[in-house]
Amino acid sequence: MRSPPIPEMATQEVQLNETLAHLKTESDTLKTKLEEERAKLHDVELHQVAEKVEALGQFVMKTRRTLKGHGNKVLCMDWCKDKRRIVSSSQDGKVIVWDAFTTNKEHAVTMPCTWVMACAYAPSGCAVACGGLDNKCSVYPLSLDKNENLAAKKKSVAMHTNYLSACCFTNSDMQILTSSGDGTCALWDVESGQLLQSFHGHAADVLCLDLAPSETANTFVSGGCDKKANVWDMRSGQCIQSFETHESDINSVRYYPSGDAFASGSDDATCRLYDLRADREVAIYSKESIIFGVSSVDFSLSGRLLFGGYNDYTINVWDVLKGTRVSILFGHENRVSTLRVSPDGTAFCTGSWDHTLRIWA
Amino acid sequence: MSTKTPSSSSIAQARRTVQQLKREARIERIKVSKASSDLMRYCGEHAKNDPLLMGIPTSENPFKDKKPCTVL
């Protein structure tokens, strides 16, 4: 007679499988319930409510400045709070600080890696942060002395286990928020390099993030290759809300100026608007003729216009409320990879794989 | 008949997913009609201060070039 398998192990295996199956059923039920709750409040579409709003007229926006100097694709840019300086980073490993009024280069740093995918200006205007394939985020204090070697004062702050995709100072020069190809976001203390909080929940590379505009909000949104946009509580590390309606990677997320909504741009060629209090997508900005991915999005100061930089070299300008396109801008000779509106809303800057940056107004 | 024994991490992950979904289900939501009218009101209140929306005179926009001066 064959001896039966060890009874305790067989029972335990069955129990674990039952537990897993039970948890899966529970999460499926919860997901369905979540969708039902969201659907109950979907009483109207944003563009229907916006029918009574006056339509926008013609927009004439042109390239007012072209910033030349990078030797390869421009991957990221950020404005200084002084509304005239810009930091940009490139595949060639260079990070350049420009005066956008005069187009002069004020500082240049060569990073030890190529593909510097992220850069950010510190709120004080006295430092910049950047990183990419080196898996780190480093902070460079900007010196008034043009001859000083900026690389000498470099401070390594963040360490991820894969590429750095985005970085952003919080309300001061003291803390930096990062997102990475390792699937996480993290909050760091600049002075000590200490990890203050990490944010787990994306199932793939995190490509972008944006901090909520209010100083009291303490939340940020991230977007990733898992097609999800997640809203996080910075203090607890918890994911508060999650949105999964895009059909491909989310390359860019940006808060609406009131902080009650955010826009996203994706490889699925659409931009979308998600309202945080309604907890759902409330608008899609798309056209059948637009088939290339969106790399970056930003709002005008009032939130009425949404600018999108696309992989087909164009910029599409959308009426956020009515959902229609109001303008299409040409000029770049390759993909638009990054786009930000200036702090006072007088212009916006785009960076491109054509090695240049352009200021539009 | 024997299936792979689930690892403790996959069960922990499944538990975390359930907890996360419970948290998300609990949040308070408002109707899209209310959310939309709030977005519209914000746009309306700030429209006149939006240079890219309203367009501002060339003389006030540092990026728009003023007419070149000729030195006689």
Side-chain angles (χ1 to χ4, degrees), chain A residues 97-130:
Chain A
V97 174
W98 315 75
D99 176 336
F101 288 0
T102 62
T103 75
N104 287 340
K105 298 180 207 27
E106 296 200 337
H107 303 275
V109 175
T110 305
M111 292 280 286
C113 65
T114 56
W115 289 90
V116 188
M117 299 163 196
C119 63
Y121 229 116
S124 68
C126 298
V128 292
C130 53

Side-chain angles (χ1 to χ4, degrees), chain B:
Chain B
M1 199 220 103
S2 167
T3 49
K4 205 159 66 88
T5 311
S7 64
S8 57
S9 69
S10 60
I11 292 195
Q13 178 60 45
R15 273 195 224 284
R16 276 195 294 270
T17 305
V18 168
Q19 296 300 4
Q20 178 62 33
L21 287 166
K22 282 183 178 166
R23 265 197 297 270
E24 288 179 33
R26 276 199 293 265
I27 72 167
E28 282 183 31
R29 296 174 188 83
I30 64 172
K31 288 191 180 170
V32 175
S33 51
K34 169 93 175 73
S36 301
S37 65
D38 286 349
L39 290 174
M40 275 168 52
R41 195 181 55 237
Y42 188 93
C43 281
E45 282 169 6
H46 294 84
K48 60 186 184 306
N49 298 324
D50 185 342
L52 286 167
L53 183 67
M54 306 308 295
I56 59 176
T58 305
S59 54
E60 286 176 30
N61 190 326
F63 291 109
K64 286 185 179 169
D65 286 316
K66 309 174 202 354
K67 281 207 178 325
C69 305
T70 331
V71 178
L72 296 166

Side-chain angles (χ1 to χ4, degrees), chain A residues 67-344:
Chain A
L67 306 179
K68 294 185 186 178
H70 276 297
N72 212 320
K73 307 177 174 67
V74 177
L75 302 175
C76 188
M77 59 80 40
D78 191 20
W79 287 89
C80 177
K81 284 205 156 92
D82 71 2
K83 312 158 223 173
R84 71 184 279 172
R85 282 174 181 77
I86 281 176
V87 63
S88 62
S89 65
S90 162
Q91 186 195 338
D92 68 359
K94 288 233 176 19
V95 174
I96 299 178
V97 174
W98 315 75
D99 176 336
F101 288 0
T102 62
T103 75
N104 287 340
K105 298 180 207 27
E106 296 200 337
H107 303 275
V109 175
T110 305
M111 292 280 286
C113 65
T114 56
W115 289 90
V116 188
M117 299 163 196
C119 63
Y121 229 116
S124 68
C126 298
V128 292
C130 53
L133 284 188
D134 58 353
N135 299 357
K136 296 189 211 167
C137 184
S138 307
V139 175
Y140 292 84
L142 295 175
S143 167
L144 289 170
D145 178 358
K146 298 271 153 71
N147 294 322
E148 189 167 356
N149 181 8
L150 289 185
K153 292 236 168 96
K154 163 179 162 177
K155 194 189 304 230
S156 261
V157 175
M159 279 288 289
H160 278 280
T161 54
N162 209 324
Y163 64 89
L164 187 83
S165 54
C167 63
C168 157
F169 286 85
T170 61
N171 297 321
S172 74
D173 286 19
M174 318 269 62
Q175 291 180 356
I176 283 190
L177 199 53
T178 56
S179 64
S180 168
D182 67 14
T184 71
C185 298
L187 181 66
W188 310 81
D189 177 273
V190 173
E191 192 55 49
S192 63
Q194 196 192 354
L195 174 67
L196 298 171
Q197 186 63 262
S198 66
F199 305 89
H200 297 260
H202 278 287
D205 306 23
V206 188
L207 299 178
C208 51
L209 57 81
D210 193 35
L211 206 52
S214 160
E215 293 201 1
T216 53
N218 268 303
T219 58
F220 73 95
V221 60
S222 65
C225 290
D226 58 358
K227 313 175 202 170
K228 282 200 196 157
N230 290 340
V231 180
W232 306 88
D233 179 320
M234 277 168 66
R235 278 172 297 207
S236 67
Q238 300 278 28
C239 173
I240 309 170
Q241 287 167 274
S242 186
F243 303 90
E244 196 174 350
T245 60
H246 271 293
E247 293 167 19
S248 187
D249 299 1
I250 297 179
N251 298 312
S252 176
V253 285
R254 193 74 68 216
Y255 271 93
Y256 184 79
S258 71
D260 287 335
F262 69 90
S264 58
S266 162
D267 275 352
D268 68 9
T270 71
C271 301
R272 294 176 197 235
L273 186 69
Y274 298 89
D275 189 289
L276 293 172
R277 295 175 313 147
D279 188 38
R280 62 175 300 120
E281 175 193 290
V282 293
I284 305 184
Y285 308 99
S286 66
K287 275 177 103 70
E288 268 185 41
S289 54
I290 301 176
I291 57 171
F292 283 81
V294 189
S295 63
S296 47
V297 295
D298 202 357
F299 287 99
S300 69
L301 230 50
S302 66
R304 183 68 192 270
L305 299 176
L306 180 69
F307 300 96
Y310 288 69
N311 292 343
D312 64 2
Y313 316 175
T314 68
I315 293 135
N316 286 299
V317 187
W318 302 90
D319 179 329
V320 169
L321 302 178
K322 290 187 183 286
T324 51
R325 180 175 64 184
V326 296
S327 195
I328 177 168
L329 305 173
F330 301 95
H332 276 297
E333 294 165 15
N334 207 320
R335 286 192 190 194
V336 178
S337 53
T338 179
L339 185 158
R340 297 294 295 256
V341 171
S342 72
D344 61 356

